[in-house]
Amino acid sequence: MPGKGGIFLPACITFSLAMVFEVNLKTRSFSPCLEVVPGHSYRCMELNLTRIPSGIPNTTQTLDLSFNPLKILHANYFSAVFALRFLDLTRCHLWKIEDNAFTGLNSLSVLVLTGNPLQILGPRAFHNLPSLQKFVAVEANLFSLAALPIGHLTSLQELNLRHNHIDSLKLPGYFSHLIFLQHLSFQLNEISSVSVGDLDALATRNLTLVLSRNEIKSIERNAFAGLHLQQLVLRGCFEDSAVMQASIRNMSGLHVNSLLLGEYRDITRVGTVDKTLLDVLCDLHLQEFTIIEMDFLESTSTLSACLNNISMVRVIHTYVSEDLKYPNNSNISQLEFKNCGLDAVPAKHLSSLTKLRVLRITRNKDLRYFKQYFRGLHNLETLDLSVNRLVTHLSWVDLLEGAPNLKHLNLSFNTEIKLEIECSGPGKLEYLDFQRTALVSPGIVPSFFCLHHLLYLDISYTGTTVIAQCSFCGLHSLRVLKMAGNGFANNQLVDNFRNLTKLHFLDISNCQLKHISLSSLTALRELRVLNISHNKLLGLHPETYVHTPLLTTLDFHNNQLAALTEEDLKNLPASLKHLDLSENLFDCSCDHAGFLRWVKNSSSLLRNVPKMLCYSPSDLKNVQVMDFALASCAINTTTVAVSVTVVLVLIVILILCYKYYFYLYYVMVLFMGNRFSDEKETVYDAFVIFSSKDQEWVKQELQQPLEEELPYFRLCLFYRDFIPGVSIITNIIKEGFQTSRKVIAVVSDHFLESRWCNFELEVAQSWQLVESKASLVLVVLQGVDKAALHRKLGLFRYLRRNTFLTWKDRDFSRHVFLRQLRSALLEGKMWTEDELRLMSKNG
Ligand SMILES: *[C@@H]1O[C@H](CO)[C@@H](O)[C@H](O)[C@H]1NC(C)=O
Ligand SMILES: *[C@@H]1O[C@H](CO)[C@@H](O)[C@H](O)[C@H]1NC(C)=O
Ligand SMILES: *[C@@H]1O[C@H](CO)[C@@H](O)[C@H](O)[C@H]1NC(C)=O
Ligand SMILES: *[C@@H]1O[C@H](CO)[C@@H](O)[C@H](O)[C@H]1NC(C)=O
Ligand SMILES: *[C@@H]1O[C@H](CO)[C@@H](O)[C@H](O)[C@H]1NC(C)=O
Ligand SMILES: *[C@@H]1O[C@H](CO)[C@@H](O)[C@H](O)[C@H]1NC(C)=O
Ligand SMILES: *[C@@H]1O[C@H](CO)[C@@H](O)[C@H](O)[C@H]1NC(C)=O
Ligand SMILES: *[C@@H]1O[C@H](CO)[C@@H](O)[C@H](O)[C@H]1NC(C)=O
Ligand SMILES: *[C@@H]1O[C@H](CO)[C@@H](O)[C@H](O)[C@H]1NC(C)=O
Ligand SMILES: *[C@@H]1O[C@H](CO)[C@@H](O)[C@H](O)[C@H]1NC(C)=O
Ligand SMILES: *[C@@H]1O[C@H](CO)[C@@H](O)[C@H](O)[C@H]1NC(C)=O
């Protein structure tokens, strides 16, 4: 049975694996398309398909069938993929779309038919698309709007008919049903004229109409009258300025929020815009006017009064002279010159625009000078001079005198700006952006001292080195300070932000910081975002977090942090939502097990977790911190615990062994004695145990009389009879107790003091009990301490089989003693023949 099961199990596993593989293979081979989002989005681009592949699930919402030779769309062509929202049929060789081709696509929002040579469209071709918002038929061989049956697309918001052959702007009546239409593009068609009535269907539609790159030759007077458009784009529409001017004049009565007029960089035919051209704008009702890719006026003229009522004027990629004058009574409130070839800020002339609220002069490659300041621009709130080449000495006094209500000043991405401390009353500046412009002097002096209302200061990458502690003094209201890519004296942050108590956002990334003192951040109690990435910090003082209780984002990536300490973790503010600790030098040793455990449990808080890599120990280098096996630390602690316990137990055992050394020996002796007792025959009459200090006495008083006088006894004396090279304990057992009939213990003070003698005595006593063999003769010498004697010998002195003798150094006593001793030894003695012969000879 077990043999059978053993074969069955692997077979089963193999089978299941094969099934899984098979299923996988099937779903793959089912559809040749790329599964962008499973069950949701499929890309079947350029696969030589002639129909929808059957493997596309009916839940698919996004389907790209572009570059396949579908050619004809029959009725119900897409009924299998009824959930589609986005359908791309770009360049599908479609020439015929039959009625009801899209039936069932109730959710379709975007239909792209770009690049198809459409010839036949059934009158109901686009029926049943109730949700379609965007219809793109760029380059679709369309010749007229009347032949495009889209009147039922009532949800349509954007209709892009770029690059077709449409030659008439006569909008069919169905446009009046497309009430959500916002964007209508006829760019690159063949519309040459616009007549009255053409656009009637748009009547009050608020939409963007793009007519760029149509060769417009005539616009009938009032063709646009009464229309209200959101935006009208007319780029590259006119063959010369005369046609342009006449056409725009004929557009009078048009209300359009934003008019974009101009050309393309590579196609310029009108060239310059002159005063008369702009004068025709007087008959249009505009809020915004943008002119793009043209040349502006002759140098000394005045801007057309027809722009006066336009609140926003933008001039893009169009040459403008510094000497251009501006009307005194203009209503222009926003003016932008982007990439206009200016080489100085025309502050003096611009000062005529007293209603100016926003002025942007950006991306002028030659703009270096800002010498003259504005005068009397009381409404100016935003001045954006970013992305120019300004090299200037900025005077707060002069700037804020001419534009006292300035709130936003953007001088970013310029060349070099010099700042000084000057105060001219309370400036109202709130936003100040100097990023990527070399700044001279801040950091050394408190250049921003007077800007009490400043909320936002960006001096990122301005080459500033903060030396003075008071560099940011006076910025009482500051909420955002961005100063990435600068430096601090000694690469340390010490108290530089003391008075920035309102700060919400601080970016001091990339500042080569090695240390941030606790006191430099303690004042920032409102701080929400702290970016200290790309520095050389080993960590922050753990108390820092206590002083920033509202912190939500801390970016600490790319520093030299080894781990957060237990105290750090304890202090992290509860409000913290984003913590980026990636690209640090993590120490993944078990010393930081607490931190590593915390990391594993904090994936919702931590950002860029895959980039949190171990740096040490070397065998874990570049392992993701998240993948660190905490279990290895647990095992280690158990091992440590076990080893410590083992060592402790061993120590205890050793101490016990040392303390009860003799008793252990004793147990062993008992055990060994038992085993060998039968093997040895009796050789000695008595085994004498004594302290080596009493050896002389033993020789004199025992050995001599007992061995040399009749009757002869044989004593076992360690100094004579023990076999050298054998352990003492073996000698005691084998030579002493086992081969002797009796044991004589010579009890003296030395004896009582010696642990060894005591041990021998105890062995002898137990021996007696176990073997009932050697009986003990206790010889107590003169002057032995009575109390000690009692304690040591205890009851044994009273045992019947024991002989208890006392020895006194007197002839008579000695005689009695020897007699008693001899008789004790004679008890149970069996004389051998040799002994008897020897005795009779001597006797
Ligand atoms: C596309 O498929 C057709 C048959 O459906 C085949 O004749 C043609 O060679 C294929 N073209 C390519 C480029 O594979
Ligand atoms: C969608 O396809 C699944 C199988 O892929 C099928 O079970 C389901 O009935 C289909 N839904 C509809 C509405 O056809
Ligand atoms: C016109 O449409 C634009 C968005 O296309 C919108 O911002 C604007 O408010 C609309 N104007 C009117 C008058 O509806
Ligand atoms: C302007 O309209 C008038 C009257 O409809 C017409 O004669 C003239 O040709 C139009 N000009 C242009 C440039 O279309
Ligand atoms: C400017 O608009 C006002 C009404 O808002 C109008 O009275 C005035 O004539 C317009 N001025 C110009 C030059 O178009
Ligand atoms: C500026 O606007 C005001 C109010 O809309 C208007 O009365 C005035 O005529 C306009 N000025 C010019 C020069 O159009
Ligand atoms: C604007 O007014 C100033 C005097 O306030 C005058 O010198 C200047 O010529 C005027 N500019 C124009 C274009 O009328
Ligand atoms: C300043 O201009 C730059 C470049 O145009 C832009 O990126 C930045 O957001 C602007 N600053 C502010 C505060 O608007
Ligand atoms: C900084 O603030 C402290 C107290 O808030 C104040 O006494 C000190 O004058 C301020 N320093 C500067 C330079 O504003
Ligand atoms: C912090 O600054 C670095 C570089 O200076 C930047 O890449 C990162 O996106 C910033 N982090 C946050 C949270 O803004
Ligand atoms: C893991 O985190 C949750 C909250 O995010 C906390 O309640 C739980 O105690 C944490 N567990 C450990 C082991 O730290």
Side-chain angles (χ1 to χ4, degrees):
M1 270 314 274
K4 252 186 181 174
I7 294 168
F8 180 70
L9 197 63
C12 190
I13 290 172
T14 317
F15 179 70
S16 341
L17 279 178
M19 285 299 284
V20 169
F21 192 64
E22 170 98 359
V23 167
N24 243 339
L25 214 68
K26 261 191 182 158
T27 46
R28 290 255 167 87
S29 62
F30 234 37
S31 142
C33 303
L34 180 71
E35 200 173 50
V36 181
V37 181
H40 191 279
S41 174
Y42 291 83
R43 187 184 303 150
C44 311
M45 204 174 146
E46 219 175 345
L47 293 172
N48 201 17
L49 301 171
T50 51
R51 57 191 185 85
I52 304 176
S54 49
I56 303 294
N58 58 18
T59 51
T60 305
Q61 297 191 354
T62 299
L63 183 58
D64 180 356
L65 283 169
S66 57
F67 296 88
N68 286 295
L70 300 181
K71 293 187 180 145
I72 299 172
L73 299 183
H74 305 289
N76 302 314
Y77 199 87
F78 299 95
S79 55
V81 281
F82 48 79
L84 284 186
R85 289 170 183 273
F86 179 97
L87 177 58
D88 190 345
L89 297 171
T90 298
R91 298 203 192 277
C92 285
H93 305 264
L94 292 176
W95 63 274
K96 185 176 182 186
I97 299 179
E98 297 184 352
D99 283 350
N100 303 315
F102 301 96
T103 294
L105 299 184
N106 291 329
S107 308
L108 195 69
S109 165
V110 179
L111 176 60
V112 182
L113 288 169
T114 294
N116 285 293
L118 296 176
Q119 287 172 28
I120 302 174
L121 297 174
R124 298 170 61 85
F126 303 110
H127 270 223
N128 298 314
L129 288 170
S131 307
L132 199 71
Q133 296 184 344
K134 189 167 173 178
F135 185 99
V136 182
V138 173
E139 213 182 311
N141 200 36
L142 299 175
F143 285 84
S144 89
L145 286 169
L148 187 65
I150 54 171
H152 289 269
L153 303 178
T154 47
S155 300
L156 208 61
Q157 293 178 5
E158 182 176 339
L159 178 59
N160 189 344
L161 302 175
R162 241 182 75 181
H163 206 169
N164 280 294
H165 310 289
I166 297 166
D167 59 0
S168 164
L169 200 55
K170 172 77 193 148
L171 300 182
Y174 64 69
F175 270 88
S176 54
H177 306 310
L178 310 183
I179 52 169
F180 298 108
L181 203 61
Q182 287 173 2
H183 193 100
L184 180 55
S185 176
F186 290 104
Q187 184 167 345
L188 246 179
N189 271 281
E190 290 161 16
I191 297 165
S192 59
S193 64
V194 187
S195 311
V196 174
D198 281 1
L199 297 168
D200 279 358
L202 296 182
T204 52
R205 202 62 44 74
N206 173 24
L207 56 65
T208 296
L209 178 61
V210 182
L211 293 176
S212 302
R213 297 191 66 188
N214 281 283
E215 202 65 42
I216 294 178
K217 294 200 159 54
S218 72
I219 292 179
E220 201 178 347
R221 185 175 296 274
N222 295 328
F224 286 85
L227 234 53
H228 285 77
L229 298 178
Q230 164 61 21
Q231 190 173 34
L232 179 61
V233 184
L234 297 171
R235 287 182 77 179
C237 287
F238 307 104
E239 65 183 316
D240 57 40
S241 56
V243 177
M244 186 188 235
Q245 196 177 331
S247 298
I248 294 171
R249 180 173 293 125
N250 279 2
M251 284 162 64
S252 62
L254 169 68
H255 292 254
V256 60
N257 190 44
S258 165
L259 174 64
L260 201 149
L261 193 64
E263 309 219 86
Y264 291 90
R265 194 167 305 180
D266 43 350
I267 323 168
T268 52
R269 293 171 302 183
V270 176
T272 54
V273 189
D274 62 12
K275 195 166 153 59
T276 52
L277 180 63
L278 291 180
D279 279 346
V280 296
L281 293 175
C282 276
D283 296 332
L284 270 48
H285 304 274
L286 304 176
Q287 262 82 56
E288 285 178 38
F289 175 61
T290 304
I291 193 150
I292 187 165
E293 299 283 354
M294 295 178 88
D295 280 346
F296 214 88
L297 312 173
E298 310 86 72
S299 51
T300 51
S301 56
T302 303
L303 196 67
S304 166
C306 287
L307 297 181
N308 279 351
N309 258 4
I310 301 174
S311 66
M312 179 166 173
V313 174
R314 298 163 73 219
V315 181
I316 298 171
H317 213 278
T318 291
Y319 174 78
V320 176
S321 162
E322 285 100 68
D323 298 325
L324 180 67
K325 294 196 182 63
Y326 304 88
N328 276 344
N329 53 352
S330 170
N331 276 342
I332 294 177
S333 73
Q334 297 192 44
L335 180 61
E336 177 173 353
F337 290 122
K338 183 170 167 184
N339 195 348
C340 291
L342 289 166
D343 57 17
V345 179
K348 188 168 158 238
H349 292 315
L350 284 170
S351 296
S352 304
L353 297 172
T354 51
K355 299 266 173 66
L356 208 56
R357 210 163 41 76
V358 179
L359 175 61
R360 297 183 197 276
I361 302 177
T362 61
R363 293 177 193 272
N364 292 281
K365 286 196 278 296
D366 301 316
L367 190 92
R368 293 175 59 82
Y369 307 107
F370 185 21
K371 287 191 177 133
Q372 291 175 314
Y373 288 91
F374 303 103
R375 259 178 280 133
L377 289 187
H378 292 277
N379 293 306
L380 194 64
E381 289 178 0
T382 301
L383 176 58
D384 182 355
L385 298 175
S386 64
V387 205
N388 293 302
R389 299 276 162 87
L390 284 174
V391 179
T392 186
H393 183 141
L394 192 70
S395 159
W396 294 129
V397 176
D398 294 341
L399 180 65
L400 297 176
E401 192 177 270
N405 291 311
L406 199 61
K407 290 200 173 94
H408 299 251
L409 176 58
N410 196 340
L411 287 162
S412 62
F413 299 93
N414 276 289
T415 305
E416 185 185 292
I417 289 176
K418 190 163 188 215
L419 293 170
E420 274 174 23
I421 344 173
E422 315 149 296
C423 293
S424 68
K428 292 188 177 153
L429 216 52
E430 291 175 358
Y431 296 82
L432 187 50
D433 191 346
F434 283 115
Q435 63 173 306
R436 308 263 175 189
T437 297
L439 284 185
V440 183
S441 83
I444 301 164
V445 294
S447 315
F448 310 109
F449 191 74
C450 305
L451 306 177
H452 302 310
H453 293 95
L454 208 63
L455 302 173
Y456 179 104
L457 176 60
D458 190 343
I459 54 167
S460 312
Y461 301 94
T462 52
T464 302
T465 300
V466 178
I467 292 166
Q469 288 214 346
C470 213
S471 299
F472 301 100
C473 284
L475 295 173
H476 304 300
S477 313
L478 202 65
R479 282 164 174 262
V480 177
L481 176 57
K482 298 184 178 181
M483 54 168 308
N486 292 296
F488 288 88
N490 304 321
N491 295 332
Q492 295 200 346
L493 186 61
V494 190
D495 279 3
N496 302 90
F497 302 137
R498 206 176 1 178
N499 279 22
L500 307 185
T501 50
K502 296 267 168 55
L503 211 59
H504 279 213
F505 184 108
L506 176 60
D507 183 353
I508 40 174
S509 60
N510 223 327
C511 287
Q512 267 126 39
L513 282 170
K514 288 185 174 155
H515 177 72
I516 295 182
S517 76
L518 175 60
S519 57
S520 49
L521 297 179
T522 46
L524 313 184
R525 297 198 65 87
E526 306 254 313
L527 203 62
R528 264 75 162 178
V529 179
L530 176 58
N531 194 343
I532 44 177
S533 63
H534 293 274
N535 281 300
K536 294 176 178 154
L537 297 167
L538 301 174
L540 287 181
H541 192 289
E543 255 188 61
T544 309
Y545 307 108
V546 177
H547 296 281
T548 52
L550 302 177
L551 202 64
T552 60
T553 303
L554 174 59
D555 192 342
F556 208 109
H557 88 270
N558 207 308
N559 276 285
Q560 298 178 357
L561 183 76
L564 291 180
T565 63
E566 294 289 331
E567 207 182 346
D568 287 335
L569 295 180
K570 198 184 75 202
N571 289 351
L572 283 184
S575 53
L576 202 62
K577 295 281 178 301
H578 307 266
L579 177 59
D580 192 340
L581 296 176
S582 60
E583 297 171 46
N584 275 287
L585 307 180
F586 289 112
D587 180 4
C588 297
S589 62
C590 293
D591 300 350
H592 300 124
F595 168 69
L596 296 169
R597 189 171 302 118
W598 176 85
V599 167
K600 279 184 188 280
N601 194 26
S602 308
S603 48
S604 59
L605 172 64
L606 292 168
R607 294 291 169 269
N608 285 323
V609 170
K611 287 192 183 166
M612 290 177 66
L613 302 177
C614 299
Y615 178 77
S616 62
S618 51
D619 56 321
L620 288 179
K621 193 161 183 170
N622 294 336
V623 169
Q624 281 191 26
V625 174
M626 225 18 137
D627 292 344
F628 177 78
L630 271 171
S632 64
C633 289
I635 284 172
N636 276 354
T637 40
T638 345
T639 347
V640 166
V642 166
S643 359
V644 165
T645 327
V646 166
V647 166
L648 280 178
V649 166
L650 280 178
I651 288 174
V652 167
I653 288 177
L654 281 178
I655 290 174
L656 288 177
C657 280
Y658 178 73
K659 184 133 192 223
Y660 297 102
Y661 170 72
F662 289 114
Y663 297 93
L664 287 171
Y665 246 85
Y666 174 33
V667 168
M668 205 171 84
V669 162
L670 279 181
F671 174 70
M672 282 168 66
N674 251 338
R675 275 176 53 207
F676 299 115
S677 54
D678 301 332
E679 294 160 19
K680 282 261 178 170
E681 52 184 286
T682 308
V683 173
Y684 301 106
D685 293 303
F687 171 43
V688 187
I689 55 180
F690 57 93
S691 162
S692 54
K693 289 177 181 157
D694 298 325
Q695 192 166 321
E696 272 312 304
W697 183 90
V698 170
K699 268 187 184 165
Q700 291 264 324
E701 305 291 335
L702 287 185
Q703 190 186 347
Q704 229 173 340
L706 289 178
E707 291 199 336
E708 290 166 17
E709 293 167 23
L710 276 172
Y712 298 125
F713 292 104
R714 281 208 65 192
L715 298 180
C716 176
L717 298 166
F718 76 79
Y719 54 83
R720 185 188 67 192
D721 298 315
F722 276 13
I723 302 164
V726 179
S727 79
I728 287 204
I729 192 79
T730 318
N731 268 321
I732 290 173
I733 304 294
K734 289 199 173 170
E735 297 305 315
F737 293 112
Q738 279 185 357
T739 53
S740 308
R741 283 190 302 114
K742 303 235 172 197
V743 176
I744 301 172
V746 182
V747 183
S748 65
D749 281 339
H750 298 134
F751 185 98
L752 293 177
E753 277 159 22
S754 159
R755 301 185 68 191
W756 192 247
C757 292
N758 280 309
F759 167 65
E760 282 179 313
L761 184 63
E762 283 188 42
V763 174
Q765 287 166 354
S766 342
W767 200 260
Q768 237 181 343
L769 291 175
V770 174
E771 293 284 304
S772 323
K773 191 177 169 189
S775 41
L776 195 54
V777 180
L778 292 163
V779 178
V780 181
L781 299 192
Q782 229 173 345
V784 171
D785 178 13
K786 286 274 161 19
L789 187 65
H790 275 258
R791 217 173 326 113
K792 288 281 166 174
L793 298 185
L795 280 174
F796 278 89
R797 55 184 290 203
Y798 303 113
L799 285 181
R800 194 165 46 82
R801 293 177 57 191
N802 292 349
T803 312
F804 191 81
L805 305 173
T806 44
W807 181 85
K808 291 200 177 73
D809 192 10
R810 260 178 284 149
D811 274 351
F812 175 70
S813 310
R814 202 176 279 155
H815 182 72
V816 174
F817 164 77
L818 274 177
R819 249 183 55 198
Q820 287 175 323
L821 184 56
R822 278 200 181 99
S823 55
L825 290 181
L826 276 172
E827 199 180 277
K829 167 129 177 131
M830 310 282 273
W831 298 104
T832 63
E833 304 237 337
D834 289 351
E835 281 171 331
L836 287 175
R837 207 181 312 124
L838 193 68
M839 277 194 290
S840 57
K841 212 193 283 171
N842 286 0

Coordinates of all heavy atoms in Angstrom, one line a residue, residues 599-620:
V599 N 9.6 48.1 10.3 CA 9.6 48.4 8.9 C 8.6 47.4 8.2 O 7.7 47.8 7.5 CB 11.0 48.2 8.2 CG1 10.8 48.1 6.7 CG2 11.9 49.3 8.6
K600 N 8.7 46.1 8.6 CA 7.8 45.1 8.0 C 6.3 45.4 8.3 O 5.4 45.1 7.5 CB 8.1 43.7 8.6 CG 9.3 43.1 7.9 CD 9.5 41.7 8.4 CE 10.8 41.1 7.9 NZ 10.6 40.6 6.5
N601 N 6.1 46.1 9.4 CA 4.7 46.3 9.8 C 4.2 47.7 9.4 O 3.1 48.2 9.7 CB 4.6 46.2 11.4 CG 3.1 46.2 11.8 OD1 2.3 45.7 11.1 ND2 2.9 46.6 13.0
S602 N 5.1 48.5 8.6 CA 4.7 49.9 8.3 C 4.7 50.2 6.8 O 5.0 51.3 6.4 CB 5.7 50.8 9.0 OG 5.8 50.5 10.3
S603 N 4.3 49.2 6.0 CA 4.4 49.4 4.6 C 3.4 50.5 4.1 O 3.6 51.1 3.1 CB 4.1 48.1 3.9 OG 3.0 47.5 4.4
S604 N 2.4 50.8 4.9 CA 1.5 51.8 4.4 C 2.0 53.2 4.7 O 1.7 54.2 4.0 CB 0.1 51.7 5.1 OG 0.3 51.8 6.5
L605 N 2.9 53.3 5.6 CA 3.5 54.6 6.0 C 4.8 54.8 5.1 O 5.0 56.0 4.7 CB 4.0 54.5 7.5 CG 4.8 55.7 8.0 CD1 4.0 57.0 7.9 CD2 5.2 55.4 9.4
L606 N 5.5 53.8 4.8 CA 6.8 54.0 4.1 C 6.6 54.1 2.6 O 5.7 53.5 2.0 CB 7.7 52.8 4.4 CG 8.1 52.7 5.8 CD1 8.7 51.3 6.1 CD2 9.1 53.8 6.2
R607 N 7.4 54.9 2.0 CA 7.4 55.2 0.6 C 8.7 54.5 0.0 O 9.7 54.4 0.6 CB 7.4 56.7 0.3 CG 6.1 57.4 0.7 CD 5.0 56.9 -0.2 NE 3.7 57.4 0.4 CZ 2.9 56.7 1.2 NH1 3.4 55.5 1.6 NH2 1.8 57.1 1.6
N608 N 8.6 54.2 -1.3 CA 9.7 53.6 -2.0 C 10.4 52.4 -1.3 O 11.6 52.3 -1.2 CB 10.8 54.7 -2.3 CG 10.4 55.6 -3.4 OD1 9.8 55.2 -4.3 ND2 10.7 56.9 -3.2
V609 N 9.5 51.6 -0.8 CA 10.0 50.5 0.0 C 11.0 49.6 -0.8 O 12.0 49.1 -0.2 CB 8.8 49.6 0.6 CG1 9.3 48.3 1.2 CG2 8.1 50.5 1.6
P610 N 10.8 49.3 -2.1 CA 11.8 48.5 -2.8 C 13.2 49.1 -2.8 O 14.1 48.4 -3.1 CB 11.2 48.4 -4.2 CG 9.7 48.7 -4.0 CD 9.6 49.7 -2.9
K611 N 13.3 50.4 -2.6 CA 14.6 51.0 -2.6 C 15.2 51.1 -1.2 O 16.2 51.7 -1.0 CB 14.5 52.4 -3.2 CG 14.4 52.3 -4.7 CD 14.6 53.7 -5.2 CE 14.3 53.8 -6.7 NZ 14.3 55.2 -7.2
M612 N 14.6 50.4 -0.2 CA 15.2 50.4 1.1 C 16.1 49.1 1.2 O 15.6 48.0 1.4 CB 14.1 50.3 2.2 CG 13.3 51.6 2.3 SD 12.0 51.5 3.5 CE 12.9 51.2 5.0
L613 N 17.4 49.3 1.0 CA 18.2 48.1 0.9 C 19.2 48.1 2.1 O 19.6 49.1 2.6 CB 19.0 48.2 -0.4 CG 18.2 48.3 -1.7 CD1 19.1 48.4 -2.9 CD2 17.3 47.1 -1.9
C614 N 19.6 46.9 2.4 CA 20.6 46.7 3.5 C 21.9 47.1 3.0 O 22.3 46.9 1.8 CB 20.7 45.3 3.9 SG 19.1 44.7 4.6
Y615 N 22.7 47.7 3.8 CA 24.1 48.1 3.4 C 25.1 47.2 4.2 O 26.2 46.9 3.6 CB 24.3 49.6 3.8 CG 25.7 50.1 3.5 CD1 26.1 50.4 2.1 CD2 26.6 50.3 4.5 CE1 27.3 50.8 1.8 CE2 27.9 50.7 4.2 CZ 28.2 51.0 2.9 OH 29.5 51.4 2.6
S616 N 24.8 46.9 5.4 CA 25.6 46.0 6.2 C 24.7 45.0 6.9 O 23.5 45.3 7.1 CB 26.5 46.8 7.1 OG 25.6 47.4 8.1
P617 N 25.1 43.9 7.4 CA 26.4 43.3 7.2 C 26.6 42.9 5.7 O 25.6 42.8 4.9 CB 26.4 42.0 8.0 CG 24.9 41.7 8.2 CD 24.2 43.0 8.2
S618 N 27.9 42.6 5.3 CA 28.2 42.5 3.9 C 27.4 41.4 3.2 O 27.1 41.5 2.0 CB 29.7 42.4 3.7 OG 30.1 41.3 4.5
D619 N 27.1 40.3 3.9 CA 26.4 39.2 3.3 C 25.0 39.6 2.9 O 24.3 38.9 2.2 CB 26.5 38.0 4.1 CG 25.9 38.1 5.5 OD1 26.2 39.2 6.0 OD2 25.3 37.3 6.0
L620 N 24.5 40.7 3.5 CA 23.1 41.1 3.2 C 23.0 42.3 2.4 O 22.0 42.9 2.1 CB 22.3 41.3 4.5 CG 22.0 40.1 5.4 CD1 21.3 40.5 6.6 CD2 21.1 39.1 4.6

